[in-house]
Amino acid sequence: MVGAIVVLAFGLIVRELPQFTGAEYRIDRILGQHRTGFLDWLAFGLNDIFGIAFGPWLAAGGGLFLVVRQKGLSALALVASIAAGCASCWLMKLLVSRHSPTTEPVWISYPSGHVAFAASLGVAAYWIFNETRWRRHVLLGSVLMVAIVAWSRLYLAVHYPTDVLASCLLTLAAAGFAAGAWNRYLPKLLRVARQLRQDA
């Protein structure tokens, strides 16, 4: 909750500072000065993969794969992580209502939904592989994935730097909240489910 409040307060402050926003937009322009065909292809590809068009299918595919591998709890962790991160992101967008730098029609940019989805996916992957030998590799890959998606949002000039930073901080706060709820309530639910199966 503290993390969410900090992100909210920061968003409300920067929204009212046009000088700060102008300085941020200059960073976007610097990153987009030397655009190439390959970088455009990469940035627009990430826009589709981590956006509304393809992102839910990516999450559903990962969950289905885990269910098929008989890892139901891991699939539930994946869904919980993504739901917590994306729901908190969209709620923050509505509360702050900061306009995107260059998109038409104007949309709400703070925080970045694409970065929130990527970060939520990375958190879920780390949860799933936390007790395996792949933990460090998954952590490094997740950080790299979030960094590249964040770069793509600035390269395309559809978000300010603080938008992508806020997404990372908010997703970590939401993941902490979800983990607390998971540890507190899931064991009780599992005990109830086992009892019901035994009674049946």
Side-chain angles (χ1 to χ4, degrees):
M1 293 300 294
V2 172
I5 291 171
V6 169
V7 171
L8 173 60
F10 186 67
L12 293 174
I13 291 171
V14 298
R15 186 189 66 183
E16 303 300 327
L17 297 175
Q19 298 88 348
F20 185 80
T21 297
E24 284 197 279
Y25 184 55
R26 282 195 288 275
I27 296 174
D28 287 2
R29 293 179 62 185
I30 291 171
L31 289 175
Q33 273 182 346
H34 306 289
R35 295 182 65 159
T36 67
F38 171 75
L39 292 179
D40 283 356
W41 171 83
L42 177 61
F44 283 112
L46 292 171
N47 179 72
D48 291 337
I49 292 172
F50 293 93
I52 296 176
F54 191 73
W57 294 104
L58 180 63
L64 182 61
F65 173 78
L66 291 169
V67 169
V68 170
R69 294 291 301 272
Q70 297 183 342
K71 297 183 180 294
L73 284 179
S74 295
L76 186 59
L78 176 70
V79 171
S81 174
I82 293 175
C86 292
S88 61
C89 174
W90 283 103
L91 177 60
M92 194 66 63
K93 281 179 177 287
L94 294 175
L95 293 173
V96 176
S97 296
R98 184 190 196 192
H99 290 167
S100 181
T102 59
T103 53
E104 293 292 342
V106 173
W107 67 9
I108 301 172
S109 73
Y110 181 96
S112 166
H114 287 72
V115 176
F117 180 82
S120 299
L121 194 61
V123 168
Y126 183 74
W127 279 357
I128 292 168
F129 290 93
N130 185 40
E131 296 181 359
T132 72
R133 62 191 180 95
W134 300 103
R135 177 177 60 184
R136 292 182 180 177
H137 298 85
V138 169
L139 178 61
L140 179 60
S142 297
V143 171
L144 184 61
M145 173 182 66
V146 172
I148 292 174
V149 173
W151 160 82
S152 73
R153 310 315 289 157
L154 303 181
Y155 176 82
L156 295 175
V158 293
H159 283 286
Y160 298 106
T162 49
D163 295 341
V164 299
L165 176 62
S167 291
C168 296
L169 297 177
L170 183 62
T171 300
L172 291 176
F177 182 84
W182 176 282
N183 292 331
R184 181 171 183 177
Y185 296 111
L186 187 65
K188 297 178 183 178
L189 293 175
L190 292 176
R191 284 196 298 270
V192 170
R194 282 194 296 267
Q195 187 63 45
L196 290 175
R197 283 200 301 267
Q198 292 173 359
D199 292 344

